[in-house]
Amino acid sequence: MPQGPYSDKVMDHFMNPRNMGEIEDANAVGEVGNPACGDVMRLYMKIENGVIVDAKFKTFGCGAAIASSSMTTELIKGKTVDEALKLSNEAVAEALGGLPPAKQHCSVLAEDAVKAALEDYKKKQGA
Amino acid sequence: MKRIYFDHAATTPLDPRVLETMMPYLTEQFGNPSSILIEEGGIPHRAVGEARAHVAALIGASPDEIVFTASATESNNLAVKGLALANRQKGNRILFSDIEHYSITNQADFLTGMGFEIDYIRVDTNGLINLDDLRKKASEGTILACIMYANLEIGTIQPLKEAALILKERGIILHSDGAGACGTIPVYVNDLGIDTMTLSSHQFYGPKGIAALYIRKGVRLKPIIQGGYQEMGYRPGTENVPAIVGFGETSRLAMEEMGTRLEHLKTLSGRLWTGIDASIDFLHFTGHPTQRLPGHVSFWIEFVEGESLLMWLNLNGIASSSGSACASNLMAIDETGLKASHVLTAIGVPPEICHGSIAFSLGKNSTMEEVELVLSILPGIVTKLREMSPLYSKFKETQKGGM
């Protein structure tokens, strides 16, 4: 059911978010916030042999932010770290059937969360 | 799904009794009220006159003090620009309260460009204008002050009478945007001492596309559009007769039924207020606790984002509104259009917290059953959204750590 400017896919992921929650033994955690609207996205990943075997999120934000987080976890699951690093905000928005122009920044937030989590992973690997 | 409409601050449904009075003027009585010498024009002409009398009576004005316009936005523009231009020789300072509607505040650039100077009157945390600040800013050269009567986002009703006294002794004109008040609560322009006031038909069960500006006799105001002599020249253009007739009828009904409507709204919103207060923690009501619109309950909830809350309520059949940045301007061309509500920031709600704000505005047809249903649904949505919120889990951890 489309609602206002949101696509069916956005509404689906908003109403039935995939992979919502935390990963207890995550080895990659990234949290980003958007000062423009106060949204906060935290992404958890479990990475084994360079492959993202599990991903979960917690998000404080609007419908687009929640849908972007949910879609992002689906897109990165099973991907290698290098593949996930290439995930663009456009790809997230496209997978959601598009976002209203004023909400594009929510997909940017998702891309940033992935990058932040993978940076955390690399830091932990290095240590 | 049966909808629960708790967004009367946005607009109200047209009363079927009002529609009935409009129908003849949408069909057989199509004449132009200016064609007064022919029968086709004479009947609509009289109907417009009768409607004007009803609207005037609603606020205790006389009919020749009422000018019909097409929207509250237009009325506010006619008032501010018209008063500014007509009173220029007296000074160039104009005051806006900090919580005016966009149809007032967004005139600032235009007016500044014309050489006027805009200053702002502060409000307190309940949204009441600070009268000391008004005294301070109503300085030499100030010609006009704009103070809305009731705020539709936080429900607060302003102490207009006190403000009017301060302004009157300094010869400053007072315009009040009464769109949120007129037709809902008693408004008597003479008792309040205001000079011009905006009224909006669709805010109280009348049709959209019609509003009015009350202009006290003797107040100088220049029309901002030029044309013929309709509306005493203040607002040229062929009259929207069916809408004017509907506006008249809805005003008549509002006067007749105001007592019962007020009582009904107070009972329902009282229950909604206490019910919400009892069932949700970390919730903050906004606006003044008692000097507020009946039927209006507004609040913000910590760790819950407003748009998500609004959308979940909607999916459950409940219509509400949010002052959250993300919900405020969803159709904006880019994210620069997303700003936390200036009303909420003015009353001191931190911008990142404004996101959890919700307003329920009830109407004359709302029922206690609907209130109970909302009370049974809201806490579950709040819990669901908090479970998703990283801010809430962090908060819970610190709570645990602190104990």
Side-chain angles (χ1 to χ4, degrees):
Chain A
M1 173 177 88
Q3 190 174 335
Y6 288 141
S7 68
D8 288 348
K9 273 217 173 120
V10 171
M11 285 311 293
D12 178 31
H13 279 261
F14 171 70
M15 287 157 67
N16 311 293
R18 327 298 199 256
N19 310 306
M20 200 284 288
E22 298 175 18
I23 300 176
E24 291 272 318
D25 57 343
N27 52 3
V29 181
E31 183 178 301
V32 290
N34 187 318
C37 66
D39 288 359
V40 179
M41 200 178 284
R42 198 196 284 179
L43 203 55
Y44 302 83
M45 295 181 200
K46 175 98 178 135
I47 302 173
E48 280 168 12
N49 304 320
V51 177
I52 301 165
V53 294
D54 198 9
K56 288 196 170 179
F57 79 93
K58 276 206 166 181
T59 291
F60 168 87
C62 63
I66 289 168
S68 295
S69 315
S70 166
M71 179 54 84
T72 299
T73 57
E74 293 232 297
L75 289 174
I76 59 172
K77 259 193 184 179
K79 295 264 163 54
T80 65
V81 168
D82 288 342
E83 284 167 342
L85 275 172
K86 287 190 199 119
L87 179 76
S88 69
N89 76 296
E90 289 95 342
V92 176
E94 201 186 321
L96 285 168
L99 285 171
K103 297 289 189 169
Q104 289 296 335
H105 67 274
C106 295
S107 61
V108 176
L109 199 63
E111 179 190 324
D112 291 349
V114 172
K115 298 214 154 73
L118 294 176
E119 210 158 287
D120 175 59
Y121 172 69
K122 283 184 177 166
K123 220 189 292 169
K124 279 175 183 155
Q125 292 294 99
Chain B
M1 190 193 309
K2 198 177 163 286
R3 300 281 302 170
I4 297 176
Y5 188 74
F6 277 7
D7 194 16
H8 290 79
T11 192
T12 58
L14 183 68
D15 190 316
R17 295 170 294 178
V18 171
L19 175 64
E20 211 172 298
T21 63
M22 294 169 66
M23 285 309 283
Y25 300 94
L26 286 159
T27 50
E28 64 267 29
Q29 298 299 343
F30 62 89
N32 189 323
S34 294
S35 312
I36 193 167
L37 294 177
I38 57 171
E39 198 180 307
E40 285 80 357
I43 293 167
H45 180 83
R46 273 195 299 281
V48 167
E50 280 164 25
R52 198 185 307 280
H54 290 314
V55 174
L58 178 67
I59 57 168
S62 78
D64 57 357
E65 293 175 312
I66 298 294
V67 169
F68 289 117
T69 68
S71 65
T73 290
E74 189 193 329
S75 290
N76 281 337
N77 272 268
L78 173 58
V80 176
K81 293 195 178 81
L83 290 166
L85 292 172
N87 295 279
R88 219 171 176 168
Q89 76 290 350
K90 292 188 206 154
N92 74 331
R93 268 175 64 78
I94 296 173
L95 305 178
F96 291 169
S97 94
D98 256 346
I99 59 168
E100 293 302 301
H101 185 260
Y102 289 126
S103 57
I104 299 280
T105 55
N106 282 351
Q107 295 188 62
D109 277 355
F110 180 90
L111 292 164
T112 313
M114 290 195 69
F116 291 99
E117 184 191 308
I118 313 292
D119 206 346
Y120 296 87
I121 311 159
R122 301 285 167 237
V123 294
D124 66 15
T125 51
N126 287 328
L128 289 178
I129 56 157
N130 180 326
L131 293 171
D132 285 333
D133 198 45
L134 176 66
R135 276 186 203 96
K136 197 171 78 191
K137 299 209 169 129
S139 56
E140 191 72 32
T142 305
I143 52 172
L144 166 68
C146 298
I147 303 168
M148 66 162 49
Y149 197 10
N151 186 289
L152 287 168
E153 202 172 322
I154 56 171
T156 301
I157 296 172
Q158 296 298 340
L160 269 192
K161 205 171 173 172
E162 287 86 334
L165 286 172
I166 294 168
L167 294 164
K168 196 171 184 182
E169 65 187 25
R170 299 169 198 219
I172 300 168
I173 302 162
L174 170 58
H175 167 67
S176 182
D177 176 358
C182 297
T184 301
I185 57 170
V187 175
Y188 301 108
V189 286
N190 291 324
D191 180 48
L192 292 169
I194 49 178
D195 297 302
T196 60
M197 180 174 249
T198 291
L199 299 88
S200 175
S201 150
H202 79 95
Q203 292 291 345
F204 59 107
Y205 316 101
K208 293 169 183 61
I210 190 73
L213 181 66
Y214 155 77
I215 308 170
R216 176 183 298 283
K217 255 180 226 121
V219 169
R220 289 161 56 91
L221 185 145
K222 275 193 180 170
I224 54 171
I225 53 171
Q226 280 66 48
Y229 294 98
Q230 293 91 349
E231 299 304 303
M232 299 155 276
Y234 283 118
R235 206 285 192 169
T238 299
E239 296 87 341
N240 183 355
V241 179
I244 289 172
V245 168
F247 190 7
E249 179 64 4
T250 206
S251 300
R252 193 186 67 77
L253 290 169
M255 265 184 85
E256 204 175 273
E257 299 172 2
M258 191 162 290
T260 2
R261 289 185 194 177
L262 286 175
E263 210 171 302
H264 179 62
L265 287 175
K266 277 180 189 161
T267 312
L268 295 192
S269 59
R271 168 68 188 130
L272 186 59
W273 184 295
T274 49
I276 289 172
D277 197 25
S279 62
I280 297 167
D281 55 357
F282 306 111
L283 179 139
H284 309 263
F285 289 101
T286 56
H288 197 280
T290 53
Q291 283 168 252
R292 60 182 301 112
L293 283 172
H296 190 287
V297 178
S298 55
F299 51 86
W300 58 276
I301 306 177
E302 291 184 56
F303 318 111
V304 175
E305 196 276 335
E307 188 199 282
S308 287
L309 181 54
L310 178 108
M311 284 169 70
W312 270 116
L313 285 166
N314 183 52
L315 290 166
N316 281 281
I318 303 160
S320 63
S321 65
S322 169
S324 114
C326 282
S328 64
N329 203 357
L330 207 45
M331 302 310 275
I333 45 166
D334 58 43
E335 64 183 79
T336 56
L338 298 176
K339 275 189 196 137
S341 146
H342 69 286
V343 175
L344 295 175
T345 47
I347 60 169
V349 180
E352 69 276 13
I353 279 169
C354 291
H355 300 275
S357 96
I358 285 284
F360 288 129
S361 42
L362 283 55
K364 68 184 174 77
N365 302 325
S366 302
T367 65
M368 193 53 101
E369 198 190 344
E370 291 178 326
V371 168
E372 295 299 343
L373 211 55
V374 169
L375 287 174
S376 70
I377 289 168
L378 183 64
I381 298 175
V382 170
T383 306
K384 189 198 321 238
L385 289 171
R386 279 180 176 167
E387 271 166 14
M388 292 182 73
S389 170
L391 305 173
Y392 190 58
S393 39
K394 260 190 225 170
F395 170 76
K396 276 198 303 191
E397 277 161 32
T398 56
Q399 287 265 302
K400 264 186 232 158
M403 289 200 213

